[in-house]
Amino acid sequence: MTAKLIKGTEIREEILEEITAEVKDIKEKHGVVPGLVTILVGENPASISYVTLKIKTAHRVGFKEIQDSPSADIAEEDLLALIDKYNNDDTINGILVQLPLPKHIDEKKILNAIDPDKDVDGFHPVNVGRLMIGGDEVRFPPCTPAGIQEMIVRSGTETSGAEVVVVGRSNIVGKPIANMMLQKGPGANSTVTVVHTRTKDLAEHCKRADILIVAAGVPGLVKPEWIKPGSCVIDVGVNRVGEKISEKTGKKIAILQGDVDFDAAKEIAGSITPVPGGVGPMTITMLMRNTLKSLKFKLGIQ
Ligand code: NAD
């Protein structure tokens, strides 16, 4: 059996088209578009490339987009003042502070200073709490878990009553996706197990999973014999395992591998996400969706 591929690149296109249409509609009816500010401190090359992609995507879907790029030596209080400025800017619906921040800045303090109603990354404790309560309380589900749930739903996978096993308990992937899948509601209603480094028998838990979500950051951690035949496998892991020369650009690029032994797993699973091209493209897409959602909340058109 060869599993159906759940391609993030295709689902991203579908969702971005939906967002673009909705932005156009809101602009016609209300005369406004979502506003996103990206704050990039310093010149970390990886951060620059992530932010560039976010900006490009924001333009594509018709958002107002502002870039603020203070130098790496900005004082913490000046960065807090900058966030305050955008908290009070009515044309801005989403504030994104690209991480990591320079060492002299307290990351937690900065993220907590963002108005929770503009926290489109969903990392503010208020939004973490809202996510935990679930239902109508949820404002901004964090982007990677939101992307994972969207892929599960759009691939036609039944979640109600499904055994979901999440490998990893980080605040940005494992914990929130586990929480989202156990909520009462569409795309959820699952029975969820979270496994981690202290779990006694990882394999036994994984074998029960109708939906296996792996976010450990360990290349090839999940072995093919751990996969339940016909199950849905979401591989969140992005691991740099080497370098190669790109045929397209002639430049050196990273060889990426997931946490699941993909070639063997695809012969057992019913559906599976590839790495790259799986969960990766979904994160920025969901950031756009959260920013649109923020404007809709403000306009009262949820
Ligand atoms: P993390 O290091 O914060 O957390 C990893 C978790 O996996 C931990 O809770 C740990 O207990 C668990 N773990 C690690 N090794 C394990 C093992 N051998 N057995 C069982 N559990 C184990 O990582 P993270 O930020 O959650 O990211 C996980 C992976 O997902 C990384 O490869 C990261 O690059 C990737 N990621 C991808 C995206 C995306 O595609 N958009 C976004 C976020 C993270």
Side-chain angles (χ1 to χ4, degrees), residues 143-144 167-174 195-199 202 214-218 221 226 235-239 257-259 278-284:
C143 301
T144 301
V167 184
R169 55 175 165 181
S170 72
N171 286 329
I172 63 163
V173 190
V195 298
H196 46 79
T197 40
R198 301 294 177 95
T199 298
L202 209 59
V214 193
V218 180
L221 172 70
W226 299 7
D235 189 354
V236 191
V238 180
N239 307 293
Q257 197 185 316
D259 290 349
V279 177
M282 296 299 291
T283 302
I284 293 180

PDB file of all heavy atoms in Angstrom, residues 143-144 167-174 195-199 202 214-218 221 226 235-239 257-259 278-284, ligand 1:
ATOM      1  N   CYS A 143       0.268  28.890  15.186  1.00  0.00           N
ATOM      2  CA  CYS A 143       0.206  28.640  13.735  1.00  0.00           C
ATOM      3  C   CYS A 143       0.565  27.218  13.304  1.00  0.00           C
ATOM      4  O   CYS A 143      -0.121  26.649  12.445  1.00  0.00           O
ATOM      5  CB  CYS A 143       1.078  29.657  13.025  1.00  0.00           C
ATOM      6  SG  CYS A 143       0.530  31.343  13.365  1.00  0.00           S
ATOM      7  N   THR A 144       1.625  26.628  13.863  1.00  0.00           N
ATOM      8  CA  THR A 144       1.985  25.271  13.410  1.00  0.00           C
ATOM      9  C   THR A 144       0.897  24.261  13.808  1.00  0.00           C
ATOM     10  O   THR A 144       0.432  23.500  12.946  1.00  0.00           O
ATOM     11  CB  THR A 144       3.386  24.872  13.914  1.00  0.00           C
ATOM     12  OG1 THR A 144       4.328  25.830  13.418  1.00  0.00           O
ATOM     13  CG2 THR A 144       3.787  23.486  13.449  1.00  0.00           C
ATOM     14  N   VAL A 167       3.795  12.935  19.633  1.00  0.00           N
ATOM     15  CA  VAL A 167       5.156  12.729  20.138  1.00  0.00           C
ATOM     16  C   VAL A 167       5.797  14.105  20.315  1.00  0.00           C
ATOM     17  O   VAL A 167       6.000  14.825  19.341  1.00  0.00           O
ATOM     18  CB  VAL A 167       5.990  11.861  19.170  1.00  0.00           C
ATOM     19  CG1 VAL A 167       7.372  11.581  19.772  1.00  0.00           C
ATOM     20  CG2 VAL A 167       5.280  10.551  18.840  1.00  0.00           C
ATOM     21  N   GLY A 168       6.080  14.470  21.569  1.00  0.00           N
ATOM     22  CA  GLY A 168       6.660  15.787  21.859  1.00  0.00           C
ATOM     23  C   GLY A 168       5.702  16.619  22.689  1.00  0.00           C
ATOM     24  O   GLY A 168       4.494  16.538  22.499  1.00  0.00           O
ATOM     25  N   ARG A 169       6.257  17.403  23.615  1.00  0.00           N
ATOM     26  CA  ARG A 169       5.407  18.198  24.506  1.00  0.00           C
ATOM     27  C   ARG A 169       5.888  19.646  24.590  1.00  0.00           C
ATOM     28  O   ARG A 169       5.873  20.255  25.655  1.00  0.00           O
ATOM     29  CB  ARG A 169       5.375  17.572  25.896  1.00  0.00           C
ATOM     30  CG  ARG A 169       6.749  17.369  26.495  1.00  0.00           C
ATOM     31  CD  ARG A 169       6.695  16.868  27.911  1.00  0.00           C
ATOM     32  NE  ARG A 169       7.988  16.359  28.314  1.00  0.00           N
ATOM     33  CZ  ARG A 169       8.247  15.835  29.501  1.00  0.00           C
ATOM     34  NH1 ARG A 169       7.303  15.731  30.400  1.00  0.00           N
ATOM     35  NH2 ARG A 169       9.442  15.396  29.807  1.00  0.00           N
ATOM     36  N   SER A 170       6.333  20.189  23.445  1.00  0.00           N
ATOM     37  CA  SER A 170       6.789  21.582  23.468  1.00  0.00           C
ATOM     38  C   SER A 170       5.593  22.521  23.528  1.00  0.00           C
ATOM     39  O   SER A 170       4.466  22.141  23.204  1.00  0.00           O
ATOM     40  CB  SER A 170       7.627  21.891  22.225  1.00  0.00           C
ATOM     41  OG  SER A 170       6.799  21.958  21.087  1.00  0.00           O
ATOM     42  N   ASN A 171       5.876  23.768  23.926  1.00  0.00           N
ATOM     43  CA  ASN A 171       4.803  24.764  24.008  1.00  0.00           C
ATOM     44  C   ASN A 171       4.340  25.229  22.643  1.00  0.00           C
ATOM     45  O   ASN A 171       3.235  25.755  22.515  1.00  0.00           O
ATOM     46  CB  ASN A 171       5.270  25.981  24.817  1.00  0.00           C
ATOM     47  CG  ASN A 171       5.324  25.658  26.294  1.00  0.00           C
ATOM     48  OD1 ASN A 171       4.551  24.845  26.793  1.00  0.00           O
ATOM     49  ND2 ASN A 171       6.252  26.283  26.993  1.00  0.00           N
ATOM     50  N   ILE A 172       5.203  25.060  21.628  1.00  0.00           N
ATOM     51  CA  ILE A 172       4.786  25.587  20.321  1.00  0.00           C
ATOM     52  C   ILE A 172       4.131  24.537  19.433  1.00  0.00           C
ATOM     53  O   ILE A 172       3.391  24.872  18.522  1.00  0.00           O
ATOM     54  CB  ILE A 172       5.936  26.301  19.567  1.00  0.00           C
ATOM     55  CG1 ILE A 172       7.075  25.349  19.229  1.00  0.00           C
ATOM     56  CG2 ILE A 172       6.469  27.492  20.340  1.00  0.00           C
ATOM     57  CD1 ILE A 172       7.989  25.922  18.164  1.00  0.00           C
ATOM     58  N   VAL A 173       4.363  23.253  19.686  1.00  0.00           N
ATOM     59  CA  VAL A 173       3.729  22.215  18.858  1.00  0.00           C
ATOM     60  C   VAL A 173       2.991  21.170  19.712  1.00  0.00           C
ATOM     61  O   VAL A 173       1.755  21.076  19.675  1.00  0.00           O
ATOM     62  CB  VAL A 173       4.719  21.493  17.916  1.00  0.00           C
ATOM     63  CG1 VAL A 173       3.939  20.624  16.922  1.00  0.00           C
ATOM     64  CG2 VAL A 173       5.633  22.445  17.165  1.00  0.00           C
ATOM     65  N   GLY A 174       3.733  20.362  20.460  1.00  0.00           N
ATOM     66  CA  GLY A 174       3.145  19.194  21.127  1.00  0.00           C
ATOM     67  C   GLY A 174       1.961  19.510  22.031  1.00  0.00           C
ATOM     68  O   GLY A 174       0.867  18.953  21.851  1.00  0.00           O
ATOM     69  N   VAL A 195       3.250  11.679  24.261  1.00  0.00           N
ATOM     70  CA  VAL A 195       4.446  10.946  24.692  1.00  0.00           C
ATOM     71  C   VAL A 195       5.675  11.834  24.547  1.00  0.00           C
ATOM     72  O   VAL A 195       5.682  12.771  23.758  1.00  0.00           O
ATOM     73  CB  VAL A 195       4.627   9.620  23.910  1.00  0.00           C
ATOM     74  CG1 VAL A 195       3.469   8.680  24.157  1.00  0.00           C
ATOM     75  CG2 VAL A 195       4.782   9.870  22.412  1.00  0.00           C
ATOM     76  N   HIS A 196       6.698  11.554  25.332  1.00  0.00           N
ATOM     77  CA  HIS A 196       7.884  12.423  25.381  1.00  0.00           C
ATOM     78  C   HIS A 196       9.104  11.614  25.813  1.00  0.00           C
ATOM     79  O   HIS A 196       9.035  10.381  25.884  1.00  0.00           O
ATOM     80  CB  HIS A 196       7.609  13.606  26.324  1.00  0.00           C
ATOM     81  CG  HIS A 196       6.985  13.193  27.604  1.00  0.00           C
ATOM     82  ND1 HIS A 196       7.705  12.659  28.633  1.00  0.00           N
ATOM     83  CD2 HIS A 196       5.683  13.201  27.995  1.00  0.00           C
ATOM     84  CE1 HIS A 196       6.886  12.367  29.618  1.00  0.00           C
ATOM     85  NE2 HIS A 196       5.650  12.674  29.262  1.00  0.00           N
ATOM     86  N   THR A 197      10.182  12.304  26.137  1.00  0.00           N
ATOM     87  CA  THR A 197      11.450  11.618  26.438  1.00  0.00           C
ATOM     88  C   THR A 197      11.355  10.691  27.651  1.00  0.00           C
ATOM     89  O   THR A 197      12.157   9.768  27.787  1.00  0.00           O
ATOM     90  CB  THR A 197      12.579  12.650  26.686  1.00  0.00           C
ATOM     91  OG1 THR A 197      12.043  13.738  27.432  1.00  0.00           O
ATOM     92  CG2 THR A 197      13.141  13.174  25.384  1.00  0.00           C
ATOM     93  N   ARG A 198      10.431  10.928  28.555  1.00  0.00           N
ATOM     94  CA  ARG A 198      10.328  10.074  29.746  1.00  0.00           C
ATOM     95  C   ARG A 198       9.281   8.967  29.592  1.00  0.00           C
ATOM     96  O   ARG A 198       9.017   8.226  30.533  1.00  0.00           O
ATOM     97  CB  ARG A 198       9.968  10.916  30.974  1.00  0.00           C
ATOM     98  CG  ARG A 198      10.968  12.009  31.292  1.00  0.00           C
ATOM     99  CD  ARG A 198      12.315  11.408  31.708  1.00  0.00           C
ATOM    100  NE  ARG A 198      13.300  12.466  31.934  1.00  0.00           N
ATOM    101  CZ  ARG A 198      13.576  12.994  33.112  1.00  0.00           C
ATOM    102  NH1 ARG A 198      12.969  12.573  34.180  1.00  0.00           N
ATOM    103  NH2 ARG A 198      14.468  13.962  33.227  1.00  0.00           N
ATOM    104  N   THR A 199       8.661   8.886  28.429  1.00  0.00           N
ATOM    105  CA  THR A 199       7.652   7.850  28.208  1.00  0.00           C
ATOM    106  C   THR A 199       8.317   6.472  28.182  1.00  0.00           C
ATOM    107  O   THR A 199       9.389   6.310  27.581  1.00  0.00           O
ATOM    108  CB  THR A 199       6.914   8.121  26.870  1.00  0.00           C
ATOM    109  OG1 THR A 199       6.265   9.382  26.991  1.00  0.00           O
ATOM    110  CG2 THR A 199       5.889   7.047  26.551  1.00  0.00           C
ATOM    111  N   LEU A 202       7.517   4.091  23.963  1.00  0.00           N
ATOM    112  CA  LEU A 202       7.093   4.969  22.864  1.00  0.00           C
ATOM    113  C   LEU A 202       6.391   4.167  21.760  1.00  0.00           C
ATOM    114  O   LEU A 202       5.317   4.538  21.277  1.00  0.00           O
ATOM    115  CB  LEU A 202       8.355   5.634  22.320  1.00  0.00           C
ATOM    116  CG  LEU A 202       8.251   7.004  21.705  1.00  0.00           C
ATOM    117  CD1 LEU A 202       7.693   7.994  22.695  1.00  0.00           C
ATOM    118  CD2 LEU A 202       9.631   7.460  21.229  1.00  0.00           C
ATOM    119  N   VAL A 214       4.032  13.746  14.999  1.00  0.00           N
ATOM    120  CA  VAL A 214       5.380  13.612  15.541  1.00  0.00           C
ATOM    121  C   VAL A 214       6.119  14.950  15.479  1.00  0.00           C
ATOM    122  O   VAL A 214       6.345  15.493  14.397  1.00  0.00           O
ATOM    123  CB  VAL A 214       6.177  12.527  14.787  1.00  0.00           C
ATOM    124  CG1 VAL A 214       7.446  12.195  15.558  1.00  0.00           C
ATOM    125  CG2 VAL A 214       5.348  11.270  14.584  1.00  0.00           C
ATOM    126  N   ALA A 215       6.463  15.488  16.657  1.00  0.00           N
ATOM    127  CA  ALA A 215       7.193  16.762  16.739  1.00  0.00           C
ATOM    128  C   ALA A 215       8.275  16.620  17.799  1.00  0.00           C
ATOM    129  O   ALA A 215       8.174  17.191  18.884  1.00  0.00           O
ATOM    130  CB  ALA A 215       6.239  17.899  17.072  1.00  0.00           C
ATOM    131  N   ALA A 216       9.295  15.848  17.477  1.00  0.00           N
ATOM    132  CA  ALA A 216      10.368  15.585  18.437  1.00  0.00           C
ATOM    133  C   ALA A 216      11.676  16.250  18.030  1.00  0.00           C
ATOM    134  O   ALA A 216      12.500  16.578  18.873  1.00  0.00           O
ATOM    135  CB  ALA A 216      10.584  14.082  18.583  1.00  0.00           C
ATOM    136  N   GLY A 217      11.882  16.440  16.728  1.00  0.00           N
ATOM    137  CA  GLY A 217      13.153  16.997  16.271  1.00  0.00           C
ATOM    138  C   GLY A 217      14.271  15.966  16.288  1.00  0.00           C
ATOM    139  O   GLY A 217      15.434  16.315  16.478  1.00  0.00           O
ATOM    140  N   VAL A 218      13.901  14.689  16.090  1.00  0.00           N
ATOM    141  CA  VAL A 218      14.894  13.610  16.044  1.00  0.00           C
ATOM    142  C   VAL A 218      14.712  12.867  14.716  1.00  0.00           C
ATOM    143  O   VAL A 218      13.703  12.184  14.525  1.00  0.00           O
ATOM    144  CB  VAL A 218      14.698  12.621  17.222  1.00  0.00           C
ATOM    145  CG1 VAL A 218      15.739  11.504  17.164  1.00  0.00           C
ATOM    146  CG2 VAL A 218      14.745  13.338  18.565  1.00  0.00           C
ATOM    147  N   LEU A 221      13.114   9.126  14.107  1.00  0.00           N
ATOM    148  CA  LEU A 221      12.759   8.570  15.422  1.00  0.00           C
ATOM    149  C   LEU A 221      11.667   7.488  15.298  1.00  0.00           C
ATOM    150  O   LEU A 221      11.760   6.420  15.909  1.00  0.00           O
ATOM    151  CB  LEU A 221      12.261   9.699  16.352  1.00  0.00           C
ATOM    152  CG  LEU A 221      11.684   9.269  17.694  1.00  0.00           C
ATOM    153  CD1 LEU A 221      12.779   8.736  18.618  1.00  0.00           C
ATOM    154  CD2 LEU A 221      10.958  10.430  18.387  1.00  0.00           C
ATOM    155  N   TRP A 226       6.186   0.989  14.020  1.00  0.00           N
ATOM    156  CA  TRP A 226       5.391   1.680  15.042  1.00  0.00           C
ATOM    157  C   TRP A 226       4.099   2.243  14.450  1.00  0.00           C
ATOM    158  O   TRP A 226       3.271   2.796  15.172  1.00  0.00           O
ATOM    159  CB  TRP A 226       6.149   2.862  15.644  1.00  0.00           C
ATOM    160  CG  TRP A 226       7.423   2.558  16.340  1.00  0.00           C
ATOM    161  CD1 TRP A 226       8.083   1.356  16.407  1.00  0.00           C
ATOM    162  CD2 TRP A 226       8.223   3.487  17.073  1.00  0.00           C
ATOM    163  NE1 TRP A 226       9.230   1.482  17.124  1.00  0.00           N
ATOM    164  CE2 TRP A 226       9.347   2.780  17.553  1.00  0.00           C
ATOM    165  CE3 TRP A 226       8.102   4.836  17.363  1.00  0.00           C
ATOM    166  CZ2 TRP A 226      10.346   3.385  18.310  1.00  0.00           C
ATOM    167  CZ3 TRP A 226       9.090   5.450  18.113  1.00  0.00           C
ATOM    168  CH2 TRP A 226      10.205   4.725  18.580  1.00  0.00           C
ATOM    169  N   ASP A 235       4.140  14.423  10.122  1.00  0.00           N
ATOM    170  CA  ASP A 235       5.543  14.550  10.544  1.00  0.00           C
ATOM    171  C   ASP A 235       5.913  16.033  10.596  1.00  0.00           C
ATOM    172  O   ASP A 235       6.061  16.687   9.566  1.00  0.00           O
ATOM    173  CB  ASP A 235       6.431  13.801   9.525  1.00  0.00           C
ATOM    174  CG  ASP A 235       7.870  13.688   9.989  1.00  0.00           C
ATOM    175  OD1 ASP A 235       8.214  14.281  11.036  1.00  0.00           O
ATOM    176  OD2 ASP A 235       8.649  13.001   9.294  1.00  0.00           O
ATOM    177  N   VAL A 236       6.033  16.538  11.820  1.00  0.00           N
ATOM    178  CA  VAL A 236       6.323  17.971  11.998  1.00  0.00           C
ATOM    179  C   VAL A 236       7.833  18.227  11.970  1.00  0.00           C
ATOM    180  O   VAL A 236       8.281  19.334  11.696  1.00  0.00           O
ATOM    181  CB  VAL A 236       5.717  18.490  13.335  1.00  0.00           C
ATOM    182  CG1 VAL A 236       5.774  20.012  13.403  1.00  0.00           C
ATOM    183  CG2 VAL A 236       4.278  18.012  13.511  1.00  0.00           C
ATOM    184  N   GLY A 237       8.605  17.216  12.235  1.00  0.00           N
ATOM    185  CA  GLY A 237      10.059  17.366  12.356  1.00  0.00           C
ATOM    186  C   GLY A 237      10.712  17.943  11.116  1.00  0.00           C
ATOM    187  O   GLY A 237      10.395  17.552   9.983  1.00  0.00           O
ATOM    188  N   VAL A 238      11.582  18.900  11.328  1.00  0.00           N
ATOM    189  CA  VAL A 238      12.406  19.437  10.240  1.00  0.00           C
ATOM    190  C   VAL A 238      13.842  19.374  10.734  1.00  0.00           C
ATOM    191  O   VAL A 238      14.231  20.162  11.589  1.00  0.00           O
ATOM    192  CB  VAL A 238      12.037  20.901   9.896  1.00  0.00           C
ATOM    193  CG1 VAL A 238      12.911  21.414   8.764  1.00  0.00           C
ATOM    194  CG2 VAL A 238      10.569  21.030   9.523  1.00  0.00           C
ATOM    195  N   ASN A 239      14.590  18.413  10.249  1.00  0.00           N
ATOM    196  CA  ASN A 239      15.961  18.201  10.727  1.00  0.00           C
ATOM    197  C   ASN A 239      16.946  18.370   9.576  1.00  0.00           C
ATOM    198  O   ASN A 239      16.762  17.779   8.513  1.00  0.00           O
ATOM    199  CB  ASN A 239      16.089  16.786  11.312  1.00  0.00           C
ATOM    200  CG  ASN A 239      15.014  16.512  12.362  1.00  0.00           C
ATOM    201  OD1 ASN A 239      15.004  17.116  13.417  1.00  0.00           O
ATOM    202  ND2 ASN A 239      14.061  15.610  12.054  1.00  0.00           N
ATOM    203  N   GLN A 257      15.179  16.311   6.736  1.00  0.00           N
ATOM    204  CA  GLN A 257      14.558  15.010   6.994  1.00  0.00           C
ATOM    205  C   GLN A 257      13.594  15.159   8.160  1.00  0.00           C
ATOM    206  O   GLN A 257      13.850  15.940   9.087  1.00  0.00           O
ATOM    207  CB  GLN A 257      15.662  14.014   7.333  1.00  0.00           C
ATOM    208  CG  GLN A 257      15.223  12.565   7.212  1.00  0.00           C
ATOM    209  CD  GLN A 257      16.346  11.639   7.677  1.00  0.00           C
ATOM    210  OE1 GLN A 257      17.505  11.820   7.353  1.00  0.00           O
ATOM    211  NE2 GLN A 257      15.984  10.638   8.460  1.00  0.00           N
ATOM    212  N   GLY A 258      12.506  14.394   8.105  1.00  0.00           N
ATOM    213  CA  GLY A 258      11.532  14.460   9.185  1.00  0.00           C
ATOM    214  C   GLY A 258      11.883  13.544  10.347  1.00  0.00           C
ATOM    215  O   GLY A 258      12.976  12.964  10.398  1.00  0.00           O
ATOM    216  N   ASP A 259      10.934  13.421  11.274  1.00  0.00           N
ATOM    217  CA  ASP A 259      11.121  12.545  12.437  1.00  0.00           C
ATOM    218  C   ASP A 259      10.665  11.113  12.145  1.00  0.00           C
ATOM    219  O   ASP A 259      10.807  10.225  12.988  1.00  0.00           O
ATOM    220  CB  ASP A 259      10.303  13.075  13.634  1.00  0.00           C
ATOM    221  CG  ASP A 259      10.878  14.360  14.201  1.00  0.00           C
ATOM    222  OD1 ASP A 259      11.996  14.733  13.820  1.00  0.00           O
ATOM    223  OD2 ASP A 259      10.199  14.987  15.037  1.00  0.00           O
ATOM    224  N   GLY A 278       5.457  19.462   3.685  1.00  0.00           N
ATOM    225  CA  GLY A 278       4.304  18.993   4.467  1.00  0.00           C
ATOM    226  C   GLY A 278       3.805  20.086   5.388  1.00  0.00           C
ATOM    227  O   GLY A 278       3.209  21.071   4.941  1.00  0.00           O
ATOM    228  N   VAL A 279       4.105  19.925   6.679  1.00  0.00           N
ATOM    229  CA  VAL A 279       3.627  20.891   7.683  1.00  0.00           C
ATOM    230  C   VAL A 279       4.277  22.268   7.480  1.00  0.00           C
ATOM    231  O   VAL A 279       3.631  23.296   7.683  1.00  0.00           O
ATOM    232  CB  VAL A 279       3.910  20.370   9.118  1.00  0.00           C
ATOM    233  CG1 VAL A 279       3.490  21.384  10.160  1.00  0.00           C
ATOM    234  CG2 VAL A 279       3.186  19.042   9.348  1.00  0.00           C
ATOM    235  N   GLY A 280       5.546  22.280   7.055  1.00  0.00           N
ATOM    236  CA  GLY A 280       6.307  23.527   6.920  1.00  0.00           C
ATOM    237  C   GLY A 280       5.532  24.684   6.290  1.00  0.00           C
ATOM    238  O   GLY A 280       5.393  25.740   6.912  1.00  0.00           O
ATOM    239  N   PRO A 281       5.004  24.506   5.081  1.00  0.00           N
ATOM    240  CA  PRO A 281       4.327  25.629   4.417  1.00  0.00           C
ATOM    241  C   PRO A 281       3.043  26.106   5.120  1.00  0.00           C
ATOM    242  O   PRO A 281       2.532  27.175   4.803  1.00  0.00           O
ATOM    243  CB  PRO A 281       3.971  25.058   3.033  1.00  0.00           C
ATOM    244  CG  PRO A 281       4.782  23.835   2.876  1.00  0.00           C
ATOM    245  CD  PRO A 281       5.102  23.318   4.230  1.00  0.00           C
ATOM    246  N   MET A 282       2.547  25.310   6.058  1.00  0.00           N
ATOM    247  CA  MET A 282       1.272  25.657   6.698  1.00  0.00           C
ATOM    248  C   MET A 282       1.410  26.764   7.743  1.00  0.00           C
ATOM    249  O   MET A 282       0.463  27.485   8.028  1.00  0.00           O
ATOM    250  CB  MET A 282       0.666  24.422   7.376  1.00  0.00           C
ATOM    251  CG  MET A 282       0.287  23.320   6.416  1.00  0.00           C
ATOM    252  SD  MET A 282      -0.950  23.840   5.230  1.00  0.00           S
ATOM    253  CE  MET A 282      -2.380  24.031   6.297  1.00  0.00           C
ATOM    254  N   THR A 283       2.594  26.890   8.353  1.00  0.00           N
ATOM    255  CA  THR A 283       2.728  27.797   9.498  1.00  0.00           C
ATOM    256  C   THR A 283       2.465  29.261   9.105  1.00  0.00           C
ATOM    257  O   THR A 283       1.652  29.947   9.744  1.00  0.00           O
ATOM    258  CB  THR A 283       4.117  27.617  10.148  1.00  0.00           C
ATOM    259  OG1 THR A 283       4.235  26.246  10.527  1.00  0.00           O
ATOM    260  CG2 THR A 283       4.281  28.465  11.381  1.00  0.00           C
ATOM    261  N   ILE A 284       3.114  29.719   8.052  1.00  0.00           N
ATOM    262  CA  ILE A 284       2.903  31.117   7.625  1.00  0.00           C
ATOM    263  C   ILE A 284       1.462  31.303   7.132  1.00  0.00           C
ATOM    264  O   ILE A 284       0.836  32.336   7.368  1.00  0.00           O
ATOM    265  CB  ILE A 284       3.939  31.506   6.538  1.00  0.00           C
ATOM    266  CG1 ILE A 284       5.335  31.540   7.168  1.00  0.00           C
ATOM    267  CG2 ILE A 284       3.593  32.844   5.903  1.00  0.00           C
ATOM    268  CD1 ILE A 284       6.469  31.904   6.228  1.00  0.00           C
TER     269      ILE A 284
HETATM  270  P1  NAD B   1      11.344  20.896  21.122  1.00  0.00           P
HETATM  271  O1  NAD B   1      12.768  20.481  21.098  1.00  0.00           O
HETATM  272  O2  NAD B   1      10.944  22.135  21.839  1.00  0.00           O
HETATM  273  O3  NAD B   1      10.470  19.701  21.686  1.00  0.00           O
HETATM  274  C1  NAD B   1      10.683  18.388  21.291  1.00  0.00           C
HETATM  275  C2  NAD B   1       9.843  17.467  22.127  1.00  0.00           C
HETATM  276  O4  NAD B   1      10.030  16.138  21.671  1.00  0.00           O
HETATM  277  C3  NAD B   1      10.172  17.491  23.601  1.00  0.00           C
HETATM  278  O5  NAD B   1       8.987  17.665  24.330  1.00  0.00           O
HETATM  279  C4  NAD B   1      10.787  16.133  23.895  1.00  0.00           C
HETATM  280  O6  NAD B   1      10.320  15.581  25.119  1.00  0.00           O
HETATM  281  C5  NAD B   1      10.283  15.275  22.749  1.00  0.00           C
HETATM  282  N1  NAD B   1      11.324  14.329  22.355  1.00  0.00           N
HETATM  283  C6  NAD B   1      12.567  14.594  21.922  1.00  0.00           C
HETATM  284  N2  NAD B   1      13.236  13.458  21.694  1.00  0.00           N
HETATM  285  C7  NAD B   1      12.410  12.446  21.982  1.00  0.00           C
HETATM  286  C8  NAD B   1      12.547  11.045  21.968  1.00  0.00           C
HETATM  287  N3  NAD B   1      13.673  10.439  21.596  1.00  0.00           N
HETATM  288  N4  NAD B   1      11.491  10.318  22.358  1.00  0.00           N
HETATM  289  C9  NAD B   1      10.330  10.915  22.739  1.00  0.00           C
HETATM  290  N5  NAD B   1      10.148  12.230  22.765  1.00  0.00           N
HETATM  291  C10 NAD B   1      11.174  12.993  22.398  1.00  0.00           C
HETATM  292  O7  NAD B   1      10.921  20.963  19.579  1.00  0.00           O
HETATM  293  P2  NAD B   1       9.679  21.687  18.824  1.00  0.00           P
HETATM  294  O8  NAD B   1       9.921  23.136  18.785  1.00  0.00           O
HETATM  295  O9  NAD B   1       8.389  21.159  19.316  1.00  0.00           O
HETATM  296  O10 NAD B   1       9.936  21.116  17.353  1.00  0.00           O
HETATM  297  C11 NAD B   1       9.919  19.747  17.070  1.00  0.00           C
HETATM  298  C12 NAD B   1      10.286  19.529  15.616  1.00  0.00           C
HETATM  299  O11 NAD B   1       9.321  20.179  14.795  1.00  0.00           O
HETATM  300  C13 NAD B   1      11.637  20.145  15.207  1.00  0.00           C
HETATM  301  O12 NAD B   1      12.235  19.308  14.242  1.00  0.00           O
HETATM  302  C14 NAD B   1      11.265  21.455  14.598  1.00  0.00           C
HETATM  303  O13 NAD B   1      12.199  21.908  13.658  1.00  0.00           O
HETATM  304  C15 NAD B   1       9.949  21.103  13.942  1.00  0.00           C
HETATM  305  N6  NAD B   1       9.055  22.256  13.768  1.00  0.00           N
HETATM  306  C16 NAD B   1       8.559  22.481  12.529  1.00  0.00           C
HETATM  307  C17 NAD B   1       7.706  23.531  12.322  1.00  0.00           C
HETATM  308  C18 NAD B   1       7.152  23.766  10.947  1.00  0.00           C
HETATM  309  O14 NAD B   1       7.291  22.954  10.089  1.00  0.00           O
HETATM  310  N7  NAD B   1       6.512  24.830  10.664  1.00  0.00           N
HETATM  311  C19 NAD B   1       7.342  24.384  13.368  1.00  0.00           C
HETATM  312  C20 NAD B   1       7.836  24.102  14.643  1.00  0.00           C
HETATM  313  C21 NAD B   1       8.690  23.023  14.838  1.00  0.00           C
END
